[in-house]
Amino acid sequence: MKHLSEIQISIESLLKNVRALKAICPDEADFIAVVKGNAYGHGLAPIVEVLEPVVDGFQIDDVEELQELRKHTSKRALVLGYVPCSALEEAVRLGGELAIYDVQRLPELQRIAEDLGVRPKLHLKLDALLGRQGLLPDDVPAFLHRLAEFPGLDVIALYGHFANIEDTTDLTHANAQVDIFNKVHSSLVSAGLSQLSRHLSATSGLMVYEPSVRGNNLVRVGVGLYGLYPSASLARTQARLELEPVMRWTSHLAQVKFLPAGHPVGYGLTFVTWRPTLIGIVPQGYSDGYDRGLSNAGEVLIHGKRCPIVGRIAMNMFAVDLTHAPEAKAEDEVVLLGDQGSDRITAEELAARLGTINYEVVTRVSPLLPRLLL
Ligand SMILES: *Cc1c(COP(=O)(O)O)cnc(C)c1O
């Protein structure tokens, strides 16, 4: 055992997912890998190391992630979250392409352009019926008017983001978003931004929307890379893509022992044995990102068998009932997420137990756990 607990990353599955997703990506679109949130918990460094040769660039959220990304690649880097004024210079210096959606930061960007002698690349974010970050369509003319005062800046793209495309087969809202997006894009092209590229799709848009349109220059693919579908309905309708989960989370049993009948297990005495019970202690807890909501609810794999969690998840450990894996002994492998033998614990299964989504389950895995490329 090299590490007591670790996050194993399957290079083969990661590359297989890229191939499957590239196969549905329009030829004219750059394939941008979204690696924000520590590559959705998989580890920025190992994921970028594997993806570097096979993608056109990367998307992250902020300047700290850009700094980390630049240790591993000089390819395109889209910083689409918020960059405070004080960090803009660093972001431009590192060659980040930045989201812009208001006029407040234009003067500072112009100053940076002059000081560094570069033309910052900006992606104008349109808030077309999403109600999140972005410039409202009605505010586009005023933005454009102001932009003319800052000739050192390159607005290279208009982009949008779908609000409701993965959980529904009713694309009314998505289509309304696209209509507004198209109108604004045309108006900007007519207003002189003739080279303005455009992008709208994350993984779900790549699956649902891109196949029926032309002319988008880029796709921003996140969750699919990691072998996860954006929703249960897309997992069904897009099953032919055969995306494979990339993350496997393992630990090893710290202790195995019999507890007599009537013995409490863990904080709050939320579980009491009703018969002599073989118990295993797993040295992972909520500090590692293993959600406390799995107390008395989750399962792990040991010797390929499902072993239920008993009692509460603590900060650094929890207990499992080893009745179904009686051969278990200390230091045997425990799988918290991923496969062992012929069974598999999926992010979707944990998400369902926790009332959340697969994205959150993997993204919350502690960045302190070692990541291993296999
Ligand atoms: C996170 C994010 C993506 C990637 O979404 P997935 O569903 O993981 O593919 C794309 N675009 C924007 C703006 C995002 O915030």
Side-chain angles (χ1 to χ4, degrees):
M1 170 196 333
K2 182 139 174 281
H3 300 288
L4 178 62
S5 305
E6 68 190 18
I7 301 300
Q8 300 172 353
I9 301 298
S10 165
I11 298 176
E12 193 185 322
S13 299
L14 183 58
L15 291 174
K16 190 166 173 273
N17 297 334
V18 172
R19 280 194 299 276
L21 293 161
K22 276 189 154 180
I24 57 168
C25 180
D27 289 339
E28 66 270 26
D30 273 2
F31 191 93
I32 299 294
V34 183
V35 293
K36 64 191 179 191
N38 198 29
Y40 292 47
H42 292 64
L44 183 92
I47 293 295
V48 172
E49 182 185 327
V50 177
L51 294 182
E52 221 284 331
V54 296
V55 301
D56 298 305
F58 295 92
Q59 179 187 322
I60 60 268
D61 185 63
D62 60 24
V63 179
E64 285 73 23
E65 290 178 342
L66 177 61
Q67 287 168 329
E68 192 56 35
L69 182 69
R70 279 296 177 238
K71 296 176 187 163
H72 310 284
T73 179
S74 57
K75 283 194 165 170
R76 292 185 70 181
L78 280 59
V79 188
L80 297 190
Y82 180 64
V83 178
C85 241
S86 58
L88 283 174
E89 182 160 342
E90 171 74 349
V92 172
R93 206 179 53 72
L94 292 171
E97 302 176 19
L98 309 181
I100 189 89
Y101 40 82
D102 56 30
V103 294
Q104 278 86 339
R105 290 176 307 154
L106 293 178
E108 175 66 1
L109 282 165
Q110 174 70 26
R111 180 199 64 75
I112 293 165
E114 288 165 13
D115 283 4
L116 300 185
V118 298
R119 299 184 64 81
K121 292 188 169 132
L122 306 175
H123 293 243
L124 178 57
K125 173 69 183 288
L126 185 68
D127 184 0
L129 303 179
L130 175 63
R132 216 172 63 170
Q133 172 204 55
L135 185 70
L136 289 166
D138 286 351
D139 297 333
V140 170
F143 176 86
L144 206 59
H145 188 71
R146 231 19 245 293
L147 183 67
E149 298 169 31
F150 305 102
L153 310 180
D154 275 342
V155 175
I156 63 166
L158 179 75
Y159 79 103
H161 196 50
F162 288 111
N164 188 25
I165 196 167
E166 60 264 47
D167 288 324
T168 175
T169 50
D170 175 1
L171 297 183
T172 310
H173 192 83
N175 291 333
Q177 289 188 277
V178 172
D179 283 348
I180 294 171
F181 184 87
N182 287 341
K183 285 201 185 85
V184 170
H185 186 266
S186 307
S187 73
L188 290 171
V189 170
S190 320
L193 296 171
S194 55
Q195 301 299 311
L196 192 69
S197 77
R198 42 179 288 149
H199 51 101
L200 275 156
S201 288
T203 303
S204 49
L206 174 60
M207 291 172 169
V208 176
Y209 161 72
E210 295 293 337
S212 60
V213 294
R214 298 250 68 88
N216 292 318
N217 307 90
L218 187 159
V219 291
R220 312 181 302 258
V221 187
V223 83
L225 293 173
Y226 309 103
L228 307 176
Y229 288 86
S231 66
S233 71
L234 287 179
R236 283 190 300 275
T237 57
Q238 304 287 321
R240 69 193 154 74
L241 294 174
E242 297 186 343
L243 300 182
E244 286 177 3
V246 166
M247 179 188 288
R248 188 167 181 268
W249 183 354
T250 66
S251 186
H252 293 84
L253 284 171
Q255 190 184 16
V256 173
K257 65 171 180 247
F258 267 104
L259 287 181
H263 200 290
V265 178
Y267 289 131
L269 321 177
T270 61
F271 183 87
V272 178
T273 54
W274 52 273
R275 54 180 160 89
T277 305
L278 188 63
I279 292 286
I281 305 300
V282 180
Q284 290 282 269
Y286 56 79
S287 72
D288 303 289
Y290 199 69
D291 200 291
R292 190 167 171 278
L294 295 168
S295 299
N296 289 304
E299 291 174 332
V300 298
L301 295 173
I302 299 169
H303 289 273
K305 306 280 175 16
R306 285 190 171 249
C307 300
I309 292 167
V310 287
R312 285 206 180 132
I313 309 283
M315 187 181 292
N316 303 103
M317 65 181 89
F318 62 89
V320 294
D321 180 340
L322 292 173
T323 303
H324 297 301
E327 68 274 47
K329 52 188 193 318
E331 306 221 337
D332 284 354
E333 186 190 69
V334 181
V335 169
L336 289 76
L337 182 68
D339 50 14
Q340 190 191 55
S342 57
D343 204 349
R344 167 178 278 179
I345 293 181
T346 64
E348 290 74 21
E349 170 186 336
L350 298 185
R353 288 184 202 275
L354 292 166
T356 183
I357 52 176
N358 50 4
Y359 289 70
E360 186 180 358
V361 170
V362 289
T363 304
R364 288 185 62 193
V365 175
S366 169
L368 299 177
L369 288 174
R371 267 65 176 174
L372 228 81
L373 285 172
L374 292 182

